[in-house]
Amino acid sequence: MQQKKFMMTDTPAFDKEYWNQRYRNGETPWDMGEVSPPLKAYIDQCSNKHHRVLIPGGGNSYEACYLWENGFRDITVVDISSLMINKLRKEHEQTGIRFVEGDFLNMKASTT
């Protein structure tokens, strides 16, 4: 008998609407309101700004914005919440940051 692989998004508690509701209600205790200090320290020591950066579960994307402000140009943020992705696209339309709505855990690889 083959066992089904469990994915976080298999449970209704972790679907797109769950995350939209969390953001809508401000139920985001993990959100520091700024770039995480360890990530900021890492970004600050990076001299090669040509790296491609993927941020899964990007939330408010403080790190993506910080990367952009510091010369990185190939940045992609993926989040399951359409509410967050739409907000980020509007707030950062003057940047080249790519904001992708989707479930990172179930995305297919692409070479583009």
Side-chain angles (χ1 to χ4, degrees):
M1 183 168 155
Q2 189 175 20
Q3 230 180 355
K4 183 178 185 242
K5 184 177 177 184
F6 175 75
M7 301 294 287
M8 280 182 57
T9 53
D10 287 341
T11 61
F14 296 113
D15 66 5
K16 175 180 174 175
E17 189 49 42
Y18 170 82
W19 291 108
N20 281 337
Q21 194 65 33
R22 294 287 306 248
Y23 285 111
R24 192 176 295 118
N25 294 336
E27 297 170 359
T28 55
W30 60 85
D31 188 328
M32 300 172 63
E34 63 184 0
V35 178
S36 167
L39 288 176
K40 182 180 183 304
Y42 179 78
I43 293 165
D44 289 345
Q45 62 86 40
C46 288
S47 58
N48 184 352
K49 311 292 185 188
H50 299 288
H51 290 295
R52 290 191 294 174
V53 180
L54 172 64
I55 303 174
N60 278 296
S61 294
Y62 306 112
E63 289 78 12
C65 298
Y66 188 74
L67 285 159
W68 184 265
E69 290 165 0
N70 284 277
F72 290 82
R73 293 296 179 257
D74 196 350
I75 306 163
T76 302
V77 174
V78 178
D79 202 287
I80 196 169
S81 170
S82 56
L83 187 117
M84 285 309 298
I85 291 297
N86 291 332
K87 174 182 174 275
L88 292 166
R89 283 179 180 152
K90 288 176 189 166
E91 288 177 358
H92 305 290
E93 64 185 347
Q94 299 303 319
T95 72
I97 301 171
R98 286 176 299 287
F99 295 101
V100 178
E101 178 187 337
D103 179 354
F104 176 76
L105 298 174
N106 291 315
M107 294 186 94
K108 303 292 182 207
S110 172
T111 58
T112 59

